[in-house]
Coordinates of all heavy atoms in Angstrom, one line a residue:
D1 N 151.5 169.1 163.6 CA 152.4 168.5 164.6 C 153.2 169.6 165.3 O 153.4 169.5 166.6 CB 153.4 167.5 163.9 CG 152.8 166.2 163.5 OD1 151.7 165.9 164.0 OD2 153.4 165.5 162.7
Y2 N 153.7 170.6 164.6 CA 154.4 171.7 165.2 C 153.6 172.3 166.3 O 154.0 172.5 167.5 CB 154.8 172.7 164.2 CG 155.4 174.0 164.8 CD1 156.7 174.0 165.3 CD2 154.6 175.1 165.0 CE1 157.2 175.1 165.9 CE2 155.1 176.2 165.6 CZ 156.4 176.2 166.1 OH 156.9 177.4 166.7
L3 N 152.3 172.7 166.0 CA 151.5 173.4 167.0 C 151.2 172.5 168.2 O 151.2 173.0 169.3 CB 150.1 173.7 166.3 CG 150.1 174.8 165.3 CD1 148.8 174.9 164.6 CD2 150.5 176.1 165.8
D4 N 151.1 171.2 168.0 CA 150.8 170.3 169.1 C 152.0 170.2 170.0 O 151.9 170.1 171.2 CB 150.5 168.9 168.6 CG 149.7 168.0 169.6 OD1 148.9 168.6 170.4 OD2 149.9 166.8 169.6
E5 N 153.2 170.2 169.4 CA 154.5 170.1 170.2 C 154.9 171.4 170.8 O 155.5 171.4 171.9 CB 155.6 169.5 169.3 CG 155.4 168.1 168.9 CD 156.4 167.6 167.9 OE1 157.4 168.3 167.7 OE2 156.1 166.5 167.3
A6 N 154.7 172.5 170.1 CA 155.3 173.8 170.5 C 154.4 174.5 171.6 O 154.9 175.4 172.3 CB 155.5 174.7 169.3
F7 N 153.1 174.1 171.6 CA 152.2 174.9 172.5 C 151.6 174.0 173.6 O 151.4 172.8 173.4 CB 151.0 175.5 171.7 CG 151.5 176.6 170.9 CD1 152.0 176.4 169.6 CD2 151.4 177.9 171.3 CE1 152.5 177.5 168.8 CE2 151.9 179.0 170.6 CZ 152.4 178.8 169.3
P8 N 151.4 174.6 174.8 CA 150.9 173.8 175.9 C 149.4 173.4 175.7 O 148.8 173.7 174.7 CB 151.0 174.7 177.1 CG 151.0 176.1 176.5 CD 151.6 176.0 175.2
G9 N 148.8 172.8 176.7 CA 147.4 172.4 176.6 C 147.3 171.0 176.2 O 148.2 170.2 176.1
K10 N 146.0 170.7 175.8 CA 145.7 169.3 175.4 C 146.6 168.8 174.3 O 146.7 169.5 173.2 CB 144.2 169.3 175.0 CG 143.7 168.0 174.4 CD 142.3 168.2 173.9 CE 141.9 167.0 173.1 NZ 140.6 167.2 172.4
K11 N 147.2 167.6 174.4 CA 148.0 167.1 173.4 C 147.1 166.3 172.4 O 146.3 165.4 172.9 CB 149.1 166.1 173.9 CG 150.2 166.8 174.6 CD 151.1 167.6 173.6 CE 152.2 168.4 174.3 NZ 152.5 169.7 173.6
L12 N 147.2 166.6 171.2 CA 146.3 165.9 170.2 C 146.9 164.6 169.6 O 146.2 163.7 169.2 CB 146.0 166.9 169.0 CG 145.2 168.1 169.5 CD1 145.1 169.1 168.3 CD2 143.8 167.8 170.0
M13 N 148.2 164.5 169.6 CA 148.9 163.3 169.2 C 149.0 162.4 170.5 O 149.3 162.9 171.6 CB 150.2 163.6 168.7 CG 150.2 163.9 167.2 SD 149.5 162.5 166.2 CE 151.0 161.9 165.4
P14 N 148.8 161.1 170.3 CA 148.9 160.2 171.5 C 150.3 160.1 172.0 O 151.2 160.3 171.2 CB 148.4 158.9 170.9 CG 148.0 159.0 169.5 CD 148.4 160.4 169.1
S15 N 150.5 159.8 173.3 CA 151.8 159.7 173.8 C 152.4 158.3 173.5 O 153.6 158.1 173.4 CB 151.8 159.9 175.3 OG 150.9 159.0 175.9
D16 N 151.5 157.3 173.3 CA 152.0 155.9 173.0 C 152.6 155.9 171.6 O 152.0 156.3 170.6 CB 150.8 155.0 173.1 CG 151.2 153.6 172.8 OD1 151.8 152.9 173.7 OD2 150.9 153.1 171.6
P17 N 153.9 155.3 171.5 CA 154.5 155.3 170.2 C 153.8 154.6 169.1 O 153.7 155.0 168.0 CB 155.9 154.6 170.5 CG 156.1 154.8 172.0 CD 154.7 154.9 172.6
Y18 N 153.1 153.4 169.5 CA 152.4 152.7 168.5 C 151.2 153.5 168.0 O 150.9 153.6 166.8 CB 151.9 151.3 169.0 CG 150.9 150.7 167.9 CD1 151.5 150.2 166.7 CD2 149.6 150.8 168.1 CE1 150.6 149.8 165.7 CE2 148.7 150.3 167.1 CZ 149.2 149.8 165.9 OH 148.4 149.4 164.9
E19 N 150.5 154.1 168.9 CA 149.3 154.9 168.6 C 149.6 156.1 167.7 O 148.9 156.5 166.7 CB 148.5 155.4 169.8 CG 147.8 154.3 170.5 CD 146.7 153.7 169.7 OE1 146.0 154.4 168.9 OE2 146.5 152.4 169.7
R20 N 150.8 156.7 168.0 CA 151.3 157.8 167.1 C 151.6 157.3 165.7 O 151.2 157.9 164.7 CB 152.6 158.4 167.7 CG 152.3 159.5 168.7 CD 153.4 160.5 168.8 NE 154.7 159.9 169.0 CZ 155.2 159.5 170.2 NH1 154.5 159.7 171.3 NH2 156.4 159.0 170.3
A21 N 152.2 156.1 165.6 CA 152.5 155.5 164.3 C 151.2 155.1 163.6 O 151.1 155.4 162.4 CB 153.4 154.3 164.5
F22 N 150.3 154.6 164.3 CA 149.0 154.2 163.7 C 148.3 155.5 163.1 O 147.8 155.4 162.0 CB 148.0 153.7 164.8 CG 146.6 153.6 164.4 CD1 146.2 152.6 163.5 CD2 145.7 154.6 164.8 CE1 144.8 152.6 163.1 CE2 144.4 154.5 164.4 CZ 143.9 153.5 163.5
Q23 N 148.3 156.6 163.8 CA 147.7 157.8 163.2 C 148.4 158.3 162.0 O 147.8 158.7 161.0 CB 147.7 158.9 164.3 CG 146.8 158.6 165.4 CD 146.1 159.8 166.1 OE1 146.3 160.9 165.7 NE2 145.3 159.5 167.1
K24 N 149.8 158.1 162.0 CA 150.5 158.6 160.8 C 150.3 157.6 159.6 O 150.2 158.0 158.4 CB 152.0 158.6 161.1 CG 152.3 159.8 162.0 CD 153.8 159.9 162.4 CE 154.0 161.1 163.3 NZ 155.4 161.2 163.8
M25 N 150.2 156.3 159.9 CA 149.8 155.4 158.8 C 148.5 155.6 158.2 O 148.3 155.6 157.0 CB 150.0 153.9 159.3 CG 151.4 153.5 159.6 SD 151.5 151.7 160.1 CE 150.7 151.7 161.7
L26 N 147.5 155.9 159.1 CA 146.1 156.2 158.7 C 146.1 157.4 157.8 O 145.4 157.5 156.8 CB 145.2 156.3 159.9 CG 143.7 156.4 159.6 CD1 143.2 155.3 158.7 CD2 142.9 156.5 160.9

């Protein structure tokens, strides 16, 4: 999560709050 937030380029976590929550639940 840190790498995804701290560095530019393609975001690997979705921007949609539900989709982010879904990935964390999975």
